[in-house]
Amino acid sequence: MADIPFLPYGRQSIDEGDIQAVVDVLRSDWVTTGPMVERFESSVASFVGAAHAVAVSSGTAALHAAMAAIGIGPEDEVILPPMTFVATANAIVYQGGTPVFVDVGEADLLIDPTLVEEKITPRTKAIIAVDYAGQPCDYDSLREIADKHGLYLISDACHSLGAEYRGRKVGTLADLTVFSFHPVKPITTGEGGMVVTDNPGLAERMRRFRNHGITTDHWKRSEKLTWSYEMTDLGYNYRLNDIQAALGVSQLAKLPSWILERQTFAAEYERKITRLSSVEPLFVRPEVSHGYHLYVVRAFSRAQVFQKLRHAGIGCTVHYPPVHLHPFYRQHLGTSEGICPVAEVAYRQILSLPVFPNMPPGSIDRILSIVSQVAGED
Ligand SMILES: *Cc1c(COP(=O)(O)O)cnc(C)c1O
């Protein structure tokens, strides 16, 4: 077993071009927020078709900036699904707001729009849609609800950069769309994040927010030959640097081919999984182009499937424990089992199988032959 390399559930792809782009910045005059950050922002904005992009130091910082930009505060509630990474909810709490969990649909584990309206109160200010696994949510339904009640629609698209909904790219489907560039995400900058929007006012607030609440950044001041600056709001140091941004620009050029590669792997899984009775893929809605950040299945003897795969050096894992069941949220919000039953049942079954660009040939056969040993398959 020792000679078989460990196969992670996801990993970055970094080539010589990426390395050269980083080295070029290291040899230049600007290493922190400078011209390369602006270039990365305009590259992502034009790739998704958004007017503005604000790069920050992580997806979590991007979510926090989004919550601050729309003015979330102690009086406000924000609706979100529990089937997400904790950072989605934490960003609301950073601003003193209250996360309100709405269950997901059983087939795709995306926020169920038919359950949203009953959770809207006079304090509700926004809905965060999470494109779980890389599949865009039902944005037409969510938009209609948001407009009817005067709410912001935020997209946590940390999984879905490059995915599409009814022929429209993720990044154009919500008032603010948040991306992460953590190494397992669709593209990486090591750590990094971005928010895209068509709203110039929100973009300006987020630019200040990432830089201590100061109105102009150091690079802009140096360009304009002025020393003066003003801090107008309380902000943070959430800046991305030029070293990271150069990697991001280089990575973004490869994203379309990586999405196709992920979709090809998913199609292979789908085809071969139909022969097995122990696992079942999640439903993919026909109106989306899925980004397949994760390839998630329901496994009917999950503990057994998980153990067998892990023993064989295959890094399957579970995304996600429902956020409302974490000890912090149980204590902070008084949440418990029963408030989102679909997510809670799914959590006992789901398993993320490896999928990433340049996954070694034969990986899916290797994975599924192990899966097939469980539950009487042959
Ligand atoms: C990764 C992720 C985040 C946080 O992004 P970081 O860059 O790790 O801070 C937030 N939401 C979701 C759904 C994620 O997958």
Side-chain angles (χ1 to χ4, degrees):
M1 207 62 78
D3 53 336
I4 302 174
F6 180 74
L7 185 70
Y9 80 87
R11 67 158 287 155
Q12 73 279 11
S13 288
I14 292 183
D15 64 14
E16 286 307 314
D18 294 326
I19 292 166
Q20 194 53 53
V22 169
V23 169
D24 289 346
V25 171
L26 291 172
R27 293 191 202 286
S28 78
D29 292 334
W30 281 100
V31 289
T32 188
T33 310
M36 204 47 90
V37 168
E38 286 203 350
R39 207 173 128 197
F40 185 37
E41 290 173 337
S42 58
S43 302
V44 173
S46 77
F47 176 82
V48 302
H52 306 278
V54 180
V56 291
S57 52
S58 68
T60 304
L63 283 161
H64 189 186
M67 292 300 102
I70 63 171
I72 297 302
E75 301 302 315
D76 301 319
E77 295 175 354
V78 178
I79 285 170
L80 78 163
M83 190 51 71
T84 185
F85 186 49
V86 291
T88 318
N90 292 354
I92 301 162
V93 178
Y94 293 158
Q95 287 295 110
T98 304
V100 174
F101 296 98
V102 166
D103 210 354
V104 292
E106 195 166 349
D108 54 19
L109 305 186
L110 300 172
I111 191 167
D112 183 345
T114 66
L115 302 177
V116 170
E117 276 192 290
E118 65 198 52
K119 293 290 172 65
I120 294 174
T121 75
R123 295 173 56 189
T124 309
K125 198 148 183 183
I127 302 167
I128 307 180
V130 178
D131 295 344
Y132 175 74
Q135 174 162 218
C137 294
D138 180 357
Y139 281 98
D140 281 352
S141 300
L142 294 170
R143 178 88 268 168
E144 201 178 306
I145 296 164
D147 287 350
K148 182 172 157 199
H149 296 272
L151 310 177
Y152 285 105
L153 178 58
I154 311 298
S155 169
D156 180 339
C158 289
H159 296 184
S160 61
L161 177 62
E164 294 174 17
Y165 169 82
R166 296 189 195 282
R168 286 138 60 198
K169 277 226 164 64
V170 166
T172 60
L173 305 165
D175 299 305
L176 295 169
T177 302
V178 172
F179 299 118
S180 163
F181 308 124
H182 177 277
V184 295
K185 304 294 164 76
I187 63 170
T188 191
T189 59
E191 296 281 356
M194 199 176 284
V195 190
V196 299
T197 181
D198 283 339
N199 183 316
L202 294 179
E204 181 49 38
R205 287 181 82 165
M206 293 187 292
R207 271 180 216 291
R208 281 204 307 273
F209 186 76
R210 75 169 171 196
N211 191 37
H212 310 279
I214 290 170
T215 48
T216 55
D217 65 32
H218 183 61
W219 186 59
K220 285 273 165 58
R221 281 199 300 282
S222 130
E223 248 192 347
K224 287 181 184 156
L225 303 173
T226 168
W227 48 262
S228 92
Y229 67 88
E230 282 181 318
M231 179 188 143
T232 53
D233 307 288
L234 184 62
Y236 294 77
N237 178 352
Y238 277 165
R239 295 186 302 264
L240 193 76
N241 64 52
D242 267 30
I243 305 166
Q244 295 167 305
L247 180 55
V249 169
S250 180
Q251 290 260 303
L252 184 65
K254 290 168 280 199
L255 180 63
S257 71
W258 285 344
I259 297 279
L260 290 176
E261 208 177 323
R262 287 175 181 274
Q263 289 174 341
T264 304
F265 284 133
E268 182 184 347
Y269 267 125
E270 199 101 9
R271 218 168 45 241
K272 294 178 174 172
I273 271 177
T274 56
R275 296 189 215 127
L276 310 180
S277 60
S278 57
V279 291
E280 182 181 284
L282 294 184
F283 179 67
V284 179
R285 300 197 324 285
E287 69 270 25
V288 305
S289 171
H290 196 311
Y292 289 107
H293 161 59
L294 302 174
Y295 190 79
V296 179
V297 294
R298 284 179 195 266
F300 299 109
S301 311
R302 190 191 52 197
Q304 245 183 307
V305 175
F306 177 85
Q307 289 299 336
K308 273 200 181 279
L309 287 170
R310 279 296 179 93
H311 280 125
I314 291 163
C316 58
T317 188
V318 176
H319 297 93
Y320 291 96
V323 176
H324 65 287
L325 299 182
H326 283 288
F328 173 83
Y329 282 104
R330 286 178 188 266
Q331 202 177 11
H332 183 71
L333 299 174
T335 48
S336 59
E337 277 91 355
I339 68 166
C340 293
V342 177
E344 293 161 18
V345 169
Y347 167 57
R348 294 182 218 125
Q349 303 172 332
I350 49 179
L351 198 58
S352 303
L353 301 180
V355 63
F356 53 90
N358 304 310
M359 187 162 72
S363 295
I364 293 176
D365 285 334
R366 181 181 152 208
I367 293 159
L368 294 183
S369 83
I370 294 157
V371 172
S372 74
Q373 295 163 17
V374 178
E377 304 282 341
D378 53 12

